[in-house]
Amino acid sequence: MSRTILPVKLHEIIVATVDDIRLDGMGIVYVTSKYPLYIADAIPGEMLKIEVIQVDKFSGYAKIIERLTVSDQRQDSQRQYLIEAGTAPLVNLKYEAQLELKRQQVKRLFEAQNIEVVVDSTIGMANPTYYRNKTIVPVKWQNGHLTSGFYRRGTHELVPMTDYFVNDANIDQAIITVREVLENYQISAYDPDTQVGAIRYIMIRRGYYSHELMVVLVANDAQINHESAITQELRQNLPELKSLIFNYSPKKDYVLLSPNNRTLWGETAIKDTLLGYTFLIGPNSFYQVNPQTTEVLYDLAARKADLKTKDIVIDAYSGIGTIGITVAKQVRKVLGVEVVPGAVADAQLNMRMNHIDNAEYILADAPQQFKLWQEANLQPDVVFVDPPRRGLTNALIKATTDMAPDRIVYVSCNPVTLVRDAAELVQQGYHIDGPVLPVDQFPQTSHVESITVFKKNS
């Protein structure tokens, strides 16, 4: 059997120029045209002295020994710990350059699929920091203290953090408060090395407009010691607290958050507003994490959909009803379909709370429900899809195009799966109508949201 000869060796030191930034925010150096090295905190055009620290047959990783030239797009954020943990990989890239990078990444993906499209400039934020209304952070006992932060890339070492830079600053302070209370009661934390311990994560939600605070203790054990005393102290130390939840989510189930919630104090959900509408947000609710740009995103999606008062609109990933409720008064009828029971229940509550009488939310698998609607001769004008990062399934694309809506509005959080799905939608008789519009929902990170409208060929 022939042995694979790699173009670099482990611990080899080389000088190279950074070629690109990949979709996770790591810099790329191409040792050969087909063999990349990935490097944290590396900006295209910079010449670096690097050490190869990991290799396999297809790619490798390297660390920077010396930066020989510095890009004019670089800034010193003085937050290198965010690079170490990988939570804000673009924090040292100037914000205008972040926006252009995201536009180029979307554009290149479409070009690689030979889909001709204009990609507009990325819509950014006036202040691209301290924007997240939700976070979930791991905790671990380190050096005699309960520590919160994020794990260093590829390790079980927690990088301690008090300033996450992308969270609402009140959320950062709430994390510290919760962690200190848990430490005072010597509550054990899950250790990935020993695979034992009680608390896995602290999750915080805070309403951008309402300022209502939810704290969720995500635990490996079904209960923790001193629950009543901990509850009392958190009530005293968190004046905005409206909801304190215990979520039993054992590591063996391999989920961050389970549906198994127990209310320790207060409400089961908090409220906030979006485009003037009020929404109930529970611990498991999908609710966009950047409230400022979400309003921009949804408003632009509705505008690009060219909604009319006679339109029947379907929301294929309706969640708690955010898209459907915010467009309902512009159209004749909204039909939402969602596979998560709790989300459908929340959507129905949100519809009633906002006095929306022309919407309906159904618990079903979307492709199956689409077939039922088609058999009932329902003809939608617009279908909104806002899928998770894995994108649309082939079954949903087929079910959607079989119904032949005039417009499909695709709100994407992953340009890779957007472009894959776009190629399929084009094959099914649709074309991209107007420019693709990137929106920076996640400043300082490599993620980008976008809106693409597909129109049925005449």
Side-chain angles (χ1 to χ4, degrees):
M1 184 180 294
S2 62
R3 182 183 171 195
T4 301
I5 299 175
L6 301 179
V8 291
K9 297 177 182 177
L10 193 62
H11 302 306
E12 182 178 352
I13 294 175
I14 61 175
V15 172
T17 300
V18 182
D19 295 299
D20 202 351
I21 295 179
R22 72 175 182 174
L23 289 171
D24 67 352
M26 298 281 279
I28 308 174
V29 164
Y30 285 103
V31 181
T32 70
S33 62
K34 295 184 178 179
Y35 195 93
L37 289 175
Y38 303 123
I39 309 150
D41 196 21
I43 295 174
E46 292 185 328
M47 183 177 291
L48 308 175
K49 180 187 284 188
I50 57 178
E51 179 186 353
V52 180
I53 57 173
Q54 183 179 327
V55 293
D56 61 31
K57 286 194 291 187
F58 306 106
S59 63
Y61 288 83
K63 67 178 182 180
I64 299 171
I65 297 173
E66 184 180 355
R67 209 178 299 276
L68 302 176
T69 63
V70 177
S71 169
D72 60 3
Q73 299 301 320
R74 175 172 291 280
Q75 63 183 5
D76 181 7
S77 67
Q78 299 184 342
R79 288 178 170 83
Q80 207 63 20
Y81 60 93
L82 299 173
I83 299 287
E84 294 173 10
T87 54
L90 301 184
V91 72
N92 287 334
L93 183 64
K94 290 178 181 177
Y95 189 53
E96 288 303 315
Q98 291 185 34
L99 298 178
E100 177 58 18
L101 170 70
K102 294 179 182 188
R103 186 186 81 85
Q104 289 293 338
Q105 286 176 334
V106 175
K107 181 172 179 286
R108 286 200 300 262
L109 286 165
F110 274 104
E111 288 172 350
Q113 278 282 359
N114 295 315
I115 299 175
E116 289 189 15
V117 69
V118 173
V119 180
D120 271 352
S121 298
T122 308
I123 293 178
M125 297 183 69
N127 180 10
T129 61
Y130 301 108
Y131 58 85
R132 286 184 63 101
N133 60 13
K134 170 196 167 184
T135 194
I136 179 166
V137 300
V139 291
K140 184 183 179 184
W141 282 89
Q142 285 185 174
N143 303 317
H145 290 281
L146 189 62
T147 305
S148 56
F150 281 101
Y151 285 101
R152 195 180 305 276
R153 294 175 190 266
T155 76
H156 289 167
E157 179 191 353
L158 205 64
V159 178
M161 293 188 196
T162 54
D163 177 3
Y164 293 77
F165 197 52
V166 294
N167 295 337
D168 177 333
N170 292 277
I171 287 178
D172 284 355
Q173 187 55 53
I175 292 168
I176 295 169
T177 299
V178 174
R179 186 195 69 207
E180 289 177 347
V181 169
L182 293 174
E183 179 177 326
N184 288 342
Y185 286 93
Q186 294 291 294
I187 303 301
S188 67
Y190 182 81
D191 188 315
D193 293 316
T194 63
Q195 299 190 5
V196 295
I199 296 294
R200 294 178 62 202
Y201 303 100
I202 297 168
M203 182 179 121
I204 311 281
R205 287 187 185 270
R206 183 176 187 260
Y208 178 71
Y209 291 104
S210 69
H211 298 171
E212 293 185 0
L213 192 73
M214 170 182 283
V215 172
V216 182
L217 304 178
V218 184
N220 191 54
D221 298 340
Q223 59 184 30
I224 57 173
N225 297 328
H226 310 294
E227 279 186 6
S228 296
I230 289 169
T231 298
Q232 186 62 28
E233 283 208 34
L234 291 178
R235 288 180 62 189
Q236 291 173 351
N237 294 324
L238 294 171
E240 294 182 337
L241 187 66
K242 295 292 182 185
S243 174
L244 178 59
I245 306 288
F246 186 91
N247 180 269
Y248 175 45
S249 183
K251 180 65 172 66
K252 64 180 176 62
D253 292 346
Y254 294 101
V255 293
L256 282 181
L257 206 68
S258 80
N260 191 347
N261 295 301
R262 178 161 53 89
T263 303
L264 298 179
W265 177 82
E267 306 296 327
T268 58
I270 59 173
K271 293 179 182 176
D272 205 16
T273 55
L274 176 67
L275 293 171
Y277 296 90
T278 302
F279 291 93
L280 279 172
I281 309 161
N284 301 94
S285 297
F286 172 75
Y287 191 78
Q288 294 273 9
V289 299
N290 187 336
Q292 298 169 69
T293 53
T294 296
E295 294 195 314
V296 174
L297 180 76
Y298 285 179
D299 182 58
L300 287 169
R303 290 190 198 182
K304 287 176 73 69
D306 190 25
L307 297 173
K308 301 174 176 62
T309 54
K310 65 178 180 57
D311 283 346
I312 295 174
V313 171
I314 291 176
D315 183 0
Y317 292 86
S318 56
I320 63 171
T322 45
I323 290 179
I325 287 169
T326 56
V327 303
K329 291 184 179 179
Q330 302 175 53
V331 299
R332 176 155 59 110
K333 180 77 173 178
V334 171
L335 296 166
V337 57
E338 172 61 60
V339 76
V340 178
V344 175
D346 286 346
Q348 292 167 345
L349 283 171
N350 289 328
M351 181 183 70
R352 292 193 291 272
M353 190 163 53
N354 288 286
H355 309 293
I356 301 295
D357 56 12
N358 64 333
E360 182 180 351
Y361 289 94
I362 297 168
L363 176 63
D365 178 59
Q368 294 177 5
Q369 183 60 43
F370 278 28
K371 289 177 184 176
L372 293 174
W373 279 329
Q374 187 180 8
E375 290 169 1
N377 296 317
L378 176 73
Q379 179 60 55
D381 300 284
V382 181
V383 173
F384 283 93
V385 291
D386 185 6
R389 290 188 59 76
R390 62 181 177 272
L392 304 177
T393 63
N394 289 334
L396 183 60
I397 292 175
K398 180 71 164 58
T400 302
T401 54
D402 282 350
M403 293 182 78
D406 181 58
R407 285 101 70 205
I408 300 169
V409 182
Y410 193 138
V411 180
S412 166
C413 61
N414 183 353
V416 174
T417 51
L418 162 66
V419 171
R420 179 202 68 198
D421 296 342
E424 181 64 24
L425 287 165
V426 168
Q427 282 192 345
Q428 296 295 326
Y430 284 78
H431 64 274
I432 295 176
D433 186 31
V436 176
L437 181 57
V439 179
D440 193 22
Q441 282 279 82
F442 313 99
Q444 318 307 328
T445 82
S446 55
H447 300 298
V448 60
E449 204 96 359
S450 61
I451 305 165
T452 308
V453 176
F454 296 86
K455 191 169 177 63
K456 192 175 185 301
N457 296 338
S458 56

